[in-house]
Amino acid sequence: MFNKEIETLELTELRELQSRRLVNLVNTVYEKVPFYKKAFDEKGIKVSDIKSINDIHKLPFTKKTDLRDNYPFGFLTVPESELARIHCSSGTTGKPTVVAYTENDLELFSEVVARSLAAAGAKPGMKLHNAYGYGLFTGGIGVHYGGEKLGLSVIPVSGGMTERQINLLRDFKSEVICCTPSYAQTIGAELKKRGISLSELNLKYAVLGAEPWTEGIRQQVEESLGVVATNIFGLSEVIGPGVSQEAYDEKGTGSYIWEDHFFPEVVDRYTGEPLPYGEEGVLVFTTLTKEAMPFVRYWTNDICSIDYDQQGSRTHIKMSAIKGRADDMLIIRGVNLFHTQVEELIHDFVELVPNYQLVVTKQGIMDKVEVKVELSQNYGKSQNVNGVLTSEMVNENEKLSFLSKRLGKKIKDNIGISMNVTLMAHNQIPKSEGGKLSRIVDLRE
Ligand code: ADP
């Protein structure tokens, strides 16, 4: 662990720390940020009402539109001359938002990324191949300094130019790679295409984030890169990557949120009411220690649940994998749909790989979804698909049609929506070129 004392702090002490920090925070933002003064006054909240972390639910939310309305520096609590860095979010869902950091904020950013990389398996002395994009996006530079803080030697490759990525992985023998899960898929596919065996590389850990992903992609990436792959989560408004991280020896049980700095809540997406641990809703964060641009109850729009893990190595709360963003949710004939729900089902088919796209169109008044999904590269080499095929089904087309019907039925049975399944040859679905990949093509007006 990078910071054992804090990562294993008793819950009662953690709550005391959070309470002290929250009281400080509300005092600062009320005094320094006109948006919060107005929002507190409108809700009739006095700063003195906030005595402990248990009072957090009284406070107003902050939404992305509030940041846009106060573009670029309306949320600053310090003079611009005290800033040490300015970043923007990727702008995946519209105009990017601006975030700013003081020297202390950058120190905090490096600390939580160092904790995260250590939880992912990285150890001082290892090399980190950082294929997150460098630039305004917080991913590249955020991971960079956290890696250095942990004592890694960081290779600032950035995203894209896949051939060069592979040459560097092979030549430098990096043990750790950071990138989006979809870009890890691209690198894995390229290795295969070029016939490069895993023994020519030295990768051990992949730290993947910036977009939703599921177990099927984990398995594919672990096999194709020869790594243990874990989830790193974050968003610019809260700090950047390193808000939470899955531990490499606790895979599949959620990602630790570094809650001494980022206090999480999950709330009902329609009413904003706090939900009990384990229930799915919108993730909300209060930045307890950030100086330049702290946020009270920032509405991430990401859908997940949070809960404590009594078996976990750390005391901090864990968040489940993000299902999707509330504004990325499709409503198809009245049924809510996140693309990760389809991704999870694809995982059950050995003949398929999780390279897929959901194409949404409108026919008359009906929404139609077509699932385009790639056959595995080995498809056809082992003809007996799950042992279900009969000896009469020798015709290749018949096998493919049987396979697409099985996936279609599985989707209908599990999600409740009929979708047309189109099987694509290997490498036919657009892949990540280095950054976040959109799995949904919405052709409706
Ligand atoms: P933008 O919101 O413009 O994409 P960011 O680059 O700050 O800006 O990205 C943050 C968002 O990326 C999060 O709110 C979340 O939707 C997504 N994200 C980041 N990490 C993960 C992850 N590990 N799993 C799922 N989604 C993630």
Side-chain angles (χ1 to χ4, degrees), residues 164-211:
R164 188 180 68 174
Q165 305 266 355
I166 287 173
N167 292 340
L168 295 178
L169 284 169
R170 193 171 49 185
D171 297 346
F172 295 174
K173 304 273 185 283
S174 300
E175 291 93 339
V176 188
I177 183 168
C178 284
C179 59
T180 58
S182 57
Y183 195 52
Q185 288 182 289
T186 302
I187 295 176
E190 186 65 22
L191 282 175
K192 235 184 208 158
K193 192 167 133 202
R194 290 179 52 186
I196 295 173
S197 90
L198 289 179
S199 61
E200 294 178 59
L201 311 184
N202 191 31
L203 278 176
K204 294 187 169 52
Y205 302 105
V207 194
L208 310 178
E211 63 189 5

Side-chain angles (χ1 to χ4, degrees), residues 89-92 137 210-212 231-236 302 325 436:
S89 73
S90 329
T92 313
F137 171 56
E211 63 189 5
N231 182 51
I232 187 165
F233 168 86
L235 63 160
S236 317
D302 293 320
R325 303 188 196 222
K436 304 188 190 213

Side-chain angles (χ1 to χ4, degrees), residues 321-388:
I322 300 281
K323 207 165 180 183
R325 303 188 196 222
D327 46 13
D328 273 350
M329 190 184 76
L330 295 166
I331 302 179
I332 305 295
R333 302 192 286 280
V335 179
N336 298 349
L337 173 70
F338 288 104
H339 67 78
T340 49
Q341 290 172 274
V342 176
E343 188 176 302
E344 269 168 4
L345 300 177
I346 291 171
H347 179 44
D348 293 342
F349 290 78
V350 286
E351 309 88 338
L352 303 175
V353 285
N355 297 337
Y356 67 99
Q357 242 179 10
L358 304 188
V359 183
V360 190
T361 49
K362 210 169 187 87
Q363 284 182 3
I365 53 159
M366 288 282 274
D367 293 323
K368 294 253 174 202
V369 184
E370 181 189 11
V371 184
K372 291 183 170 176
V373 56
E374 277 183 14
L375 288 162
S376 107
Q377 202 173 15
N378 298 328
Y379 178 81
K381 289 183 189 148
S382 64
Q383 291 294 1
N384 191 2
V385 181
N386 276 357
V388 188

Side-chain angles (χ1 to χ4, degrees), residues 251-313:
K251 275 190 316 183
T253 60
S255 303
Y256 285 109
I257 296 174
W258 307 123
E259 58 166 314
D260 51 322
H261 295 295
F262 317 119
F263 186 80
E265 298 168 80
V266 168
V267 303
D268 184 283
R269 56 177 298 202
Y270 300 106
T271 64
E273 282 304 308
L275 295 174
Y277 293 147
E279 277 190 31
E280 206 167 75
V282 172
L283 186 60
V284 167
F285 281 107
T286 298
T287 63
L288 296 173
T289 51
K290 216 162 55 139
E291 286 179 346
M293 234 186 222
F295 291 115
V296 173
R297 303 191 85 199
Y298 184 73
W299 185 280
T300 66
N301 236 0
D302 293 320
I303 305 289
C304 73
S305 61
I306 55 173
D307 206 349
Y308 285 97
D309 177 358
Q310 304 307 334
Q311 319 307 324
S313 54

